[in-house]
Amino acid sequence: MPFLASPIRFLAHYVATRPLGFALLTLIVVLGSSSQVGVQYAMKLLIDAMTGPAHALGQVETALIAFVGLVALESGLLRASAMLLCRLTVSTGVRIRLDMFDYLTGHQLSFFQNQRAGSLGHRVGALTGSFSALVHRILMEIAPPLISFAGALLIFLSIDTRMAIVLALVFVTVSATLVRLGLGGDAYHKEFARQAGNSSGELVDLIGNIWAVKAFAARPRELDRLRGYFEKEAAAQRRGWFFVERVRGLHDIALILLVGGTLFWAISRWSAGAITAGDVVVISAMTFRMLNGSRDLAMALIDTSQQFSYLGETLDIIGVPHALPDAPNARPLKPSEGSIRLENITFGYDPHRPVLHDVSIDVPAGQKVGIVGPSGAGKSTILQLVQRLYETQAGRILVDGQAIDAVTQDSLHAAVAVVPQEVLLFHRSVLENIRFARPDATDEEVQRAAEAAHCAAFISEMPEGYDSIVGERGTNLSGGQRQRIGIARAFLKDARIVLLDEATSALDTGSEIEVQQGLDALMTNRTVLAVAHRLSTVVAFDRILVVEDGRVVEDGPPLRLLREGGAFRRLWALQAEGLDQPIGNGARPPVQEPIALPIATRSRAPGRTGRRWRSGLTRLPKIN
């Protein structure tokens, strides 16, 4: 979005989305401000007519009608401009927030890992406020004083040229001085904006982690910590506020001196018969209005400068160019059987420190591949690269024979179902959370997906069944229940490719068995890439990839790898020995059944092709 490059382009872009509306608003403001000047001139004509000859009654009536009519017109135009401004800025604000959310979600995952969610949400909302404030300042606070000044200057020129020149110079000098003084407070306002963003982010962070606050009895100390942020924000706000009030105080002193001097000059000119009583009234009124307008103009210019600063700061964060955009000619992915191919992939989150080194993996459609290895070896990174959540530094990845950097990211994500280690749920109903995978799914389709994922039993026990709210991030559900909701989503998505990122490693044995049943059903007739910490969850797969230090060091069927005695056998031995390690005060874990290896047997389901998986058990070869 090029208009995110600068605050002026941002403002111009959204004004251009409703050109007729903003043009009409500008016209109404100009007419309304001109009416204000006309009211003052009509008052002059009324007073001159009243102090003139007695037979000038008709002139008095005409001036009175003009005065009342202009007052009514000014009031009507003011109300019309306010209502139109509200309509335009509010509707444009909706579009801004939607556009910003759309752009924000296009950033790479690392962007969100380095930013606070609360602060980003605050800044997206602040963009709407900045746009509304800028439009209001320019049209309702900057334009009217300038129009009043131009109108007053014309009136003064018709009365006394010297006075017009002097008052024009005074207006420009006072306004420029106030603006210069006011801009000196820009640092105060930037500091307040920074502190406000920090305190807002801290508050949202605490609310999002309320479990930890309660679990560690941290309410008093976190309240003190939060108080520190709020007090810093308040101090910054006070400094900015007091600075503005000092500037306004200086203006008030100047206003008293200048209005008094102008009135004295006008009365002396009237005493000499050079001007009329109406001229004295209009000079006094317009001088007061001009000088007050100079203050309003100066404050509006200062506020506008500050709003541009706030807007620029936010755009510098949110509006940074996407690190991972779609290719200019990207086409939607055309899903087929679900094959995956990685060719000579090298990747590092820091390009100078690769996590994967020249990795090549070929996964035919329908094959189930487990990825194992020590922590930090790059297992989950492989899944993230298949989803194109990051860009590789070398090599390429193909899904169904199509390079993923040549297709749109949305179409790629639509073709892949993912079950992560921690399933994130929205503060919505069970039905809505499952349907998130496919918004057009019917209630019956959602329920079938839940049954396939073994969710139906616990959902039926919830207070409102499928309409039950799961709570913030699914806190009303257990870990196993959240995982099965994630599996139900994957069922509903019905993608040919399934990625499992340690989907059961954080669960207890009972929950793992229940979740594994859902996963077994999900993997049937699909291509699967599964990262696993517990090796027992992937030994029934077609292949095992052992990843160490960013390289695939072994690749083959699990039984063959065990017999060969390489890296996979060492990992298996380490986990098997872990069952016999002392725990706590030296006690050993309960004796377990001998470790057994599920063997995948192939059968054909009626009317379906591919493999159907069921578990059999066989003894593992003895590991010495």
Side-chain angles (χ1 to χ4, degrees), residues 32-79:
S33 299
S34 301
S35 298
Q36 292 179 349
V37 178
V39 167
Q40 303 300 323
Y41 194 75
M43 175 61 74
K44 161 191 157 48
L45 296 177
L46 178 60
I47 292 174
D48 285 344
M50 291 174 64
T51 57
H55 62 271
L57 183 60
Q59 295 178 6
V60 172
E61 292 175 348
T62 301
L64 180 61
I65 291 171
F67 177 79
V68 174
L70 286 170
V71 169
L73 180 62
E74 177 190 354
S75 178
L77 291 173
L78 183 62
R79 297 280 72 77

Side-chain angles (χ1 to χ4, degrees), residues 475-532:
T475 51
N476 292 340
L477 302 177
S478 69
Q481 290 170 339
R482 288 196 295 272
Q483 288 299 106
R484 280 178 278 169
I485 293 292
I487 296 169
R489 281 177 173 174
F491 264 113
L492 189 63
K493 194 172 186 179
D494 196 26
R496 295 295 305 163
I497 296 174
V498 176
L499 305 180
L500 307 177
D501 192 358
E502 302 200 53
T504 64
S505 64
L507 304 177
D508 60 79
T509 303
S511 297
E512 182 182 5
I513 292 172
E514 294 174 342
V515 170
Q516 192 63 50
Q517 291 173 345
L519 289 175
D520 289 342
L522 174 64
M523 292 187 292
T524 302
N525 298 316
R526 289 181 170 89
T527 305
V528 179
L529 271 181
V531 171

Side-chain angles (χ1 to χ4, degrees), residues 24 47 49 134 148 163 231 301 307 312 314 329 376 411 419 490 500 515 517 528 551 590 597:
L24 178 60
I47 292 174
L134 283 170
S148 294
M163 186 176 291
E231 287 176 351
L301 288 172
Q307 288 295 338
T314 298
N329 58 346
S411 66
V419 182
L500 307 177
V515 170
Q517 291 173 345
V528 179
R551 292 180 170 84
L597 176 65

